[in-house]
Amino acid sequence: MIKFHEQISKSFFGSNAKITDILIIGSVIGVISGLGPLYEAQPVLFFVPFAWFLYVLTKTYTFVKSPRKNDWAFILGIAYSFRRKLVLDFITKKTVELSLICAIAALVFFGMRSICYHDIAVKETISSFEIMSGEIVCSLVSVWLLIKAKIIRPSKKDPPSRSLFSFSQKNLFSFFSAAMSSKFSRFSIPFLSNEQKIILRRQFLYILRTSPLSTAAFMLIAVVFYVTVIIFTPSSQTLFLCFLGCIPPTIVLLEMTTAMSNSAEKAASCPYYSFKPHNVFFVNILLCILVFAFFPLALLVKTVLLGHLFAALPLLRVGAAFASGFTVCLSFALRWNKSDWDGSSSALFGLACFCCILGISIPYFGILFPLAASLLIFVLK
């Protein structure tokens, strides 16, 4: 049974990294960060845990939530309980590997700084390792807890023998969904038209119907994760804070895309009513902004109000982060008008992300790239 478990784990998630691989990865990251001109490459250290988290999330999320989209899991008939065990083991191993990589990277960074710049940066090295440790705890461990608590559950029911919830839990979940649906059915915003209010309620109800717990959990993790990073990161690291401020809400919007696709598919196939595309697009923009709003505002408070960074470059970078967030919102709003990813929506989303990266990276004039992408989306919608 143990050998079978190991074979299945290797088939789906690949082999575990060897200690030599961990040493090489950590050393390369530490050297790049330590040799960076004027230490500007140090934020590379802070991107490692979040990139690792994205890798683990893409490997595990579909395997747990949508087994019928994973051919081998469907053919073998792997039960939810067994899939969950495989994923928990995988996340635990990857958390240990990442912790070792971060520790090695921080030590090599310390060594390179000491040798090349004659600067014994003990305090800076400890601070870097604290930031990376906080990222690991807030990202990978939170995903482990979500799967352990069965909040991330299959989008379609397994056979009765593989039931996720007991009878009482199902009743409790149904009661919670019904209560929240009743509340949101009366929810409205004054400046919206009647049709837009109906669309807004409908979108909220589809989120409650499809993935209420996972969407709320993803949003909570994103907020806690970014607040933790803001607390431990100096205000001068504007580039890093701007980049990281766009990634967590984008993941939340990707999680909500399943519900929005379901809503768009049902609306397109319903013969009794139809919505004007521009009204749906406007409501989708509003929903995306509600998800995104906290992150650029937290960035503004950290860098400008608390950090007193009133120079042109940090202010323009923060402005580029705001413009990038709006561009991502527009790309998702356009995608949510459709029932599935197609060539145009995928291309526009990729272009939006690329322009956002350029906008934050390029000093002074970078803000023009996300603004141009936003204008293009408005034209093509």
Side-chain angles (χ1 to χ4, degrees):
M1 182 64 186
I2 296 176
K3 288 185 177 180
F4 176 72
H5 180 279
E6 292 176 353
Q7 288 296 326
I8 293 294
S9 182
K10 288 181 180 179
S11 298
F12 288 113
F13 303 119
S15 302
N16 298 321
K18 298 178 182 178
I19 189 65
T20 53
D21 298 332
I22 293 173
L23 285 170
I24 291 171
I25 295 171
S27 299
V28 170
I29 294 169
V31 168
I32 293 173
S33 303
L35 286 176
L38 300 177
Y39 321 135
E40 289 179 357
Q42 186 187 357
V44 173
L45 286 172
F46 308 143
F47 279 110
V48 175
F50 201 77
W52 200 271
F53 160 70
L54 291 177
Y55 164 72
V56 171
L57 186 64
T58 54
K59 279 281 189 178
T60 59
Y61 184 72
T62 304
F63 186 66
V64 174
K65 191 174 181 66
S66 305
R68 287 157 181 82
K69 293 182 180 179
N70 193 313
D71 295 338
W72 282 108
F74 181 54
I75 292 171
L76 293 175
I78 299 177
Y80 168 78
S81 58
F82 189 51
R83 295 199 309 274
R84 194 166 62 90
K85 178 174 172 50
L86 289 172
V87 167
L88 291 173
D89 291 345
F90 176 73
I91 294 173
T92 302
K93 291 174 183 176
K94 290 302 174 184
T95 304
V96 173
E97 289 177 6
L98 177 59
S99 301
L100 292 173
I101 287 173
C102 289
I104 293 167
L107 289 174
V108 174
F109 168 76
F110 168 72
M112 293 303 298
R113 285 284 297 271
S114 302
I115 294 170
C116 298
Y117 297 98
H118 305 289
D119 177 14
I120 303 178
V122 177
K123 183 178 179 181
E124 195 170 345
T125 303
I126 293 174
S127 176
S128 299
F129 188 68
E130 286 177 349
I131 293 172
M132 291 187 289
S133 300
E135 289 180 319
I136 294 170
V137 171
C138 291
S139 57
L140 295 178
V141 176
S142 59
V143 174
W144 189 92
L145 291 173
L146 284 174
I147 295 174
K148 184 70 175 178
K150 302 180 182 180
I151 293 177
I152 298 180
R153 55 196 179 91
S155 55
K156 294 183 179 179
K157 292 182 180 179
D158 281 355
S161 59
R162 306 174 188 174
S163 178
L164 175 60
F165 291 110
S166 66
F167 181 73
S168 59
Q169 287 172 316
K170 281 183 179 179
N171 286 344
L172 180 62
F173 181 75
S174 299
F175 175 78
F176 170 77
S177 296
M180 294 301 293
S181 298
S182 175
K183 293 289 185 184
F184 279 117
S185 64
R186 297 189 296 270
F187 176 77
S188 65
I189 296 178
F191 63 81
L192 298 180
S193 65
N194 287 332
E195 182 173 318
Q196 289 170 347
K197 290 178 182 178
I198 293 171
I199 297 170
L200 180 63
R201 293 170 191 159
R202 189 176 186 276
Q203 301 293 57
F204 270 120
L205 290 172
Y206 265 91
I207 294 172
L208 286 172
R209 175 183 175 183
T210 306
S211 55
L213 294 180
S214 57
T215 299
F218 268 68
M219 188 64 193
L220 180 61
I221 291 171
V223 171
V224 172
F225 175 81
Y226 195 54
V227 168
T228 304
V229 171
I230 281 179
I231 291 173
F232 287 103
T233 305
S235 301
S236 57
Q237 298 286 355
T238 313
L239 178 62
F240 170 69
L241 290 172
C242 289
F243 264 123
L244 208 63
C246 294
I247 297 174
T250 302
I251 295 175
V252 177
L253 294 177
L254 283 170
E255 158 61 20
M256 294 169 61
T257 300
T258 301
M260 297 299 99
S261 297
N262 193 2
S263 175
E265 182 181 3
K266 294 296 188 293
S269 61
C270 182
Y272 304 107
Y273 60 85
S274 62
F275 299 119
K276 295 177 181 177
H278 69 272
N279 282 336
V280 179
F281 183 64
F282 179 79
V283 170
N284 288 340
I285 292 174
L286 185 62
L287 282 174
C288 293
I289 290 175
L290 287 174
V291 172
F292 242 97
F294 168 81
F295 300 90
L297 289 176
L299 171 67
L300 182 67
V301 171
K302 172 68 176 182
T303 55
V304 179
L305 299 183
L306 298 180
H308 304 291
L309 298 177
F310 297 106
L313 181 58
L315 286 175
L316 285 171
R317 278 219 163 109
V318 172
F322 271 82
S324 299
F326 185 66
T327 303
V328 172
C329 289
L330 289 180
S331 65
F332 272 102
L334 188 65
R335 161 63 184 87
W336 289 352
N337 276 8
K338 303 174 182 179
S339 59
D340 204 352
W341 290 96
D342 56 17
S344 60
S345 60
S346 300
L348 281 174
F349 177 72
L351 177 65
C353 292
F354 180 67
C355 289
C356 292
I357 293 171
L358 291 178
I360 296 173
S361 302
I362 298 175
Y364 298 107
F365 300 105
I367 192 173
L368 297 175
F369 286 92
L371 291 177
S374 298
L375 181 61
L376 179 64
I377 293 174
F378 267 118
V379 171
L380 295 179
K381 74 180 181 63

